[in-house]
Amino acid sequence: MKKVFFSLMLIAALAAGFTGCKKDENTSTSHSQKFSLGETNYDVKNALAITNIAGEGTDIYNAIVLCDANLNNNNGGEGRGVIIAFKGDITGGTYTLSDNETAYPKYAFTSLNIADIASFDIENIFDNGEAYIGITGSFTLEIDGDTYTITTEGIEVENVEDPTVLETSSVDYEGAPAVYELATVISGNLNNEVIATAGRTKYNLMFIETQIAAFITYSGNFIGLTSTSSFAEGLPVGEFTNNDFPIIYLEGMDINSPKFATSGNIVIAKDGDIYTIDITDATISGDNYEMHYEGTLPFFDFPF
C-alpha cells in the first residue's frame, strides 16, 4: 500500500503546487472550515478533488485535498493539508479508518512544501516529519451536486517516520472543490524522466493570458506547448515548430523562472481522446530536450 499511497501524495503535491490550490468559492455558516493536527487548527482556504490517479496495475484512485492559505507556488511557500484518498470513485458515506495497509479510504495530514517537489523521491516523500496517516476514527462525506461536506469523529493519526508518535486530527468543511482530472498516461518520457500527468490549462504569462499543454514528470519538471489561441477544445493535429507553439520548460515546477526553447519540432496526432505528441530537437538554455507522450490531455480551468 505505501508505494501506491506515496504516488497519490506526490501527484496531489504536484497538482497543488501547479495550481497554487484554487481558492474555494463557497463559504459556510454551519461549518468552521478548518482542519487540525493535535491542538493546532488550520483554515481550509483551498480545496481540490483530484481524479483519475493511476495506481499499481489497473487500480484507479481519487483524492480530496484540503490545504491552508500558505501553499502557493507563485510565492514559493509551503502549506499543510489533509488528503483523503479513495480507491475508485469519491462517494458519500461514513467511513471508518484502519491501520490495515490495504484498507481505503486513506486519511493523511501532511506538509506540502513547493520547494521540495522537484526533489521528492517516492520512497522518501514523508521526510518532512510532519506526515501522519489516519489509523482509527471515522469521517463522513456528504455530496450535494458540487458541494462536499466533510466532518470527522475521533480520528487518530500516526507519524509516518515514527509510528509511536500519535496525534488527533479533524476536518469540518463545506464547499465546492475545484476538480483536477489527471491524464491517462499510456506512455511518456521527457529525456530520461517519466511523465506522471499532462493536461491543458491557461496561465497569465507576462500579463498575457497564455494557453499551455503541460507535461509533468514524476520528479516535478515540466515542459509545455504555449499559444495565445485557446486549447479548451483541444490541440490541433499536424507538424509544427517552436515558432507555432513556443516551448516552455520549468525546473521543479518553478513558474517564476520559466525557460523558453529557441528551436524545436512538434508533431501532434489524435485518435479519439488519445493524443500522441512528440517534441524533438528542442534547445533550451543550450541543452537538448526530447519528449514523447501518448495519453489523454484533460482541460483544467485553474488560475495560477
Side-chain angles (χ1 to χ4, degrees), residues 208-253:
I208 300 173
E209 184 173 283
T210 303
Q211 305 290 314
I212 299 179
F215 306 88
I216 306 169
T217 71
Y218 274 103
S219 59
N221 294 325
F222 164 115
I223 196 167
L225 308 177
T226 65
S227 175
T228 55
S229 299
S230 177
F231 283 163
E233 300 303 319
L235 271 61
V237 299
E239 297 184 7
F240 307 94
T241 71
N242 186 60
N243 292 328
D244 300 306
F245 299 115
I247 299 167
I248 186 173
Y249 180 78
L250 309 178
E251 185 174 356
M253 301 297 294

Side-chain angles (χ1 to χ4, degrees), residues 163-213:
T164 65
V165 177
L166 302 176
E167 284 284 4
T168 58
S169 184
S170 66
V171 170
D172 186 30
Y173 165 78
E174 182 182 47
V179 178
Y180 175 30
E181 178 187 352
L182 295 180
T184 298
V185 181
I186 298 172
S187 63
N189 292 87
L190 172 61
N191 288 359
N192 296 319
E193 298 182 47
V194 177
I195 292 174
T197 192
R200 295 168 285 128
T201 190
K202 60 186 178 182
Y203 171 64
N204 288 326
L205 185 63
M206 300 176 185
F207 305 103
I208 300 173
E209 184 173 283
T210 303
Q211 305 290 314
I212 299 179

Side-chain angles (χ1 to χ4, degrees), residues 24-150:
D24 191 350
E25 301 297 335
N26 286 18
T27 58
S28 173
T29 58
S30 57
H31 295 271
S32 67
Q33 307 295 68
K34 296 181 182 296
F35 61 91
S36 72
L37 181 72
E39 299 298 318
T40 305
N41 291 310
Y42 302 89
D43 292 327
V44 179
K45 293 189 176 179
N46 304 277
L48 290 170
I50 304 175
T51 66
N52 197 38
I53 305 167
E56 296 177 344
T58 59
D59 292 334
I60 298 295
Y61 299 82
N62 298 280
I64 301 168
V65 180
L66 307 175
C67 59
D68 72 2
N70 295 329
L71 180 60
N72 188 315
N73 193 45
N74 294 336
N75 294 335
E78 66 178 60
R80 278 70 57 189
V82 164
I83 299 176
I84 302 173
F86 290 77
K87 190 173 184 178
D89 294 339
I90 297 173
T91 55
T94 296
Y95 299 93
T96 300
L97 301 176
S98 169
D99 60 0
N100 186 326
E101 290 190 348
T102 63
Y104 279 84
K106 294 290 183 190
Y107 177 104
F109 174 96
T110 188
S111 174
L112 301 175
N113 189 329
I114 296 304
D116 291 339
I117 286 177
S119 60
F120 272 172
D121 183 292
I122 286 180
E123 297 296 340
N124 298 314
I125 196 168
F126 292 123
D127 274 356
N128 57 56
E130 294 184 40
Y132 293 79
I133 299 291
I135 56 173
T136 61
S138 65
F139 72 89
T140 298
L141 169 64
E142 300 176 34
I143 302 176
D144 183 7
D146 295 332
T147 300
Y148 287 15
T149 303
I150 304 172

